Amino acid sequence: MSSDVIAIDGPAASGKSTVARNLSEALGIPCINTGSLYRAVAWKLLRIGLNPESVTEEEVGRILADTRIAYEKPAPGAPPDIRIDGIFPGQELRGAEIASGASKVATMPNVRAWLLDLQRNMAKRGRIVMEGRDIGTAVFPDARFKFFLTASPMVRARRRLAQSGETFDGATLESVARDIAARDEQDSRRSVAPLKRADDAVLVDNSEWESDQTLQFILDQIREKENMEKKETVLAYRVPYADTDQMGVVYYANYLKYFEMFRSEMLIDAGLSYLQMEKEGIALPVIEAVCRYKSSARFEDRLTITGRVAEAKGVRVKIECEVRCGERLLADGYTVHACMDMKNNRPTRVPPALLKLLK
């Protein structure tokens, strides 16, 4: 079951926080800034006189054992904000020293594990927007919606300079761009949950977009997927005599044929038929097939076959199917497909149109 999370990932100054806040307001759901959680840890370390750049994992682990972090309203009617041990740091978390310390503690496995539990517990309360650098890959790999925001380095540097308290005094566009590039390098090369785009995340380059354009694009993507999820393919099939064996029941191998009939119909409904994919040089050969038999079908039974794209990652696609006669489950199972580039006869990434079928 996928988590009802809208994951917003991306590098520093890509516009994640602004978009996440606007999306939260548009949908009327909470927004969690996971970067602020790491800033909160750095804030506490500095508050008790420890340098996040030199503190050991063991020291941080002892401190986390006596730390309480939550998202709460600092006042009636105010938006939720981070509270650390009963204190709302507010704008103190936006300082350049805190940002640098957060980047350091984010490389510590025990800090990430501690905050991972915290983030997942927050998501249990209902649908939320969560933004950070590894939401769609490490925190919620099963998130229902995933977006990866980015922008050109110079655009991101200008945005960072415009954010009060985010840079040190005397910073220039060039120095901020270098700092951002260094942060990208550190985040993408770290051994624990590196910064990268999830295979099924929608890439959003907002270099030339205003925040309202980015928001509208993401809202459109969410609504499109929700509409697609409501559209269920149901294949009706009456068993012909040719499908049965000497005992008068459907021959077992025919259920795999029913799975394939459903796959074809589902892809046509989604506007992505096998024929169209082949014209575009894409094939989906079966590399694994599983069928679990529950009950028998007979001549002239009316079957309904349903299913879904259960997984689409890298070059692999998993499609689940069920075959029923009325309310009676006859068989269920799945097929796993390798997405192949027919021209070069080599594996290739799953097409974006097929990823949209993933629930």
Side-chain angles (χ1 to χ4, degrees):
M1 186 71 176
S2 61
S3 301
D4 201 9
V5 171
I6 302 174
I8 309 290
D9 284 317
S14 59
K16 303 187 303 295
S17 298
T18 300
V19 169
R21 284 196 306 270
N22 293 344
L23 192 59
S24 167
E25 293 174 5
L27 298 176
I29 58 176
C31 174
I32 308 297
N33 181 318
T34 59
S36 293
L37 298 176
Y38 289 98
R39 288 171 181 256
V41 174
W43 177 86
K44 179 165 183 177
L45 292 175
L46 288 166
R47 185 177 175 83
I48 62 177
L50 293 175
N51 184 353
E53 300 289 340
S54 58
V55 69
T56 67
E57 278 192 53
E58 291 72 22
E59 289 175 309
V60 175
R62 289 192 294 270
I63 292 163
L64 290 178
D66 192 35
T67 300
R68 298 294 177 268
I69 298 178
Y71 262 88
E72 296 179 359
K73 293 183 178 181
D81 202 355
I82 284 190
R83 190 186 72 168
I84 313 165
D85 298 335
I87 301 173
F88 289 95
Q91 282 300 114
E92 291 182 32
L93 294 184
R94 308 311 304 173
E97 185 180 18
I98 296 294
S100 178
S103 182
K104 176 61 178 179
V105 298
T107 65
M108 298 181 179
N110 61 340
V111 174
R112 302 196 71 84
W114 190 82
L115 288 177
L116 180 64
D117 288 339
L118 180 66
Q119 292 164 53
R120 289 179 175 170
N121 285 331
M122 289 175 174
K124 291 178 181 178
R125 302 176 186 176
R127 191 179 194 186
I128 62 170
V129 178
M130 190 168 286
E131 61 107 341
R133 288 177 171 79
D134 61 355
I135 308 304
T137 54
V139 183
F140 291 102
D142 60 346
R144 188 176 173 202
F145 303 98
K146 298 181 185 180
F147 299 93
F148 190 91
L149 269 63
T150 189
S152 69
M154 294 308 289
V155 167
R156 290 163 55 204
R158 281 195 291 270
R159 289 174 180 171
R160 179 50 56 87
L161 272 174
Q163 293 173 334
S164 176
E166 288 287 326
T167 56
F168 292 102
D169 291 340
T172 64
L173 186 63
E174 290 72 20
S175 67
V176 173
R178 286 195 299 271
D179 289 344
I180 286 176
R183 176 68 185 274
D184 289 349
E185 180 75 7
Q186 177 176 314
D187 287 348
S188 62
R189 289 184 175 274
R190 67 191 181 204
S191 58
V192 181
L195 168 67
K196 65 177 182 177
R197 175 189 170 192
D199 291 331
D200 53 345
V202 177
L203 179 64
V204 184
D205 187 330
N206 61 5
S207 299
E208 299 181 3
W209 286 357
E210 299 295 332
S211 59
D212 58 341
Q213 292 174 292
T214 305
L215 172 64
Q216 190 58 55
F217 175 82
I218 291 177
L219 285 172
D220 289 344
Q221 291 287 313
I222 291 172
R223 288 163 184 156
E224 180 182 342
K225 182 169 183 177
E226 288 177 334
N227 289 335
M228 185 174 290
E229 289 176 356
K230 294 173 184 176
K231 180 181 179 181
E232 182 182 21
T233 298
V234 179
L235 176 63
Y237 181 75
R238 191 177 297 279
V239 176
Y241 186 74
D243 283 5
T244 61
D245 58 20
Q246 286 185 331
M247 293 183 290
V249 300
V250 171
Y251 182 58
Y252 75 92
N254 282 324
Y255 287 93
L256 293 176
K257 180 183 75 173
Y258 300 158
F259 286 6
E260 182 162 2
M261 291 164 53
F262 168 80
R263 290 198 303 273
S264 297
E265 201 67 26
M266 178 185 68
L267 292 172
I268 290 171
D269 281 352
L272 188 71
S273 70
Y274 275 123
L275 182 60
Q276 180 183 339
M277 280 194 291
E278 288 176 358
K279 287 180 178 178
E280 295 175 2
I282 300 295
L284 289 176
V286 176
I287 60 174
E288 182 181 352
V290 172
C291 185
R292 296 174 287 261
Y293 302 97
K294 311 292 184 180
S295 185
S296 298
R298 296 180 178 274
F299 174 48
E300 291 194 346
D301 276 352
R302 187 171 180 81
L303 310 182
T304 55
I305 309 163
T306 59
R308 69 188 187 101
V309 177
E311 181 181 331
K313 186 175 182 180
V315 301
R316 293 165 59 93
V317 181
K318 180 180 180 181
I319 301 177
E320 296 177 343
C321 284
E322 283 189 352
V323 183
R324 293 180 177 271
C325 181
E327 294 298 315
R328 184 163 51 97
L329 177 63
L330 304 180
D332 64 10
Y334 63 85
T335 51
V336 177
H337 306 256
C339 190
M340 298 292 295
D341 180 338
M342 297 170 64
K343 181 178 179 180
N344 299 309
N345 194 32
R346 58 187 296 180
T348 187
R349 283 188 174 276
V350 176
L354 191 55
L355 287 174
K356 289 183 179 180
L357 292 174
L358 179 64
K359 291 185 181 181

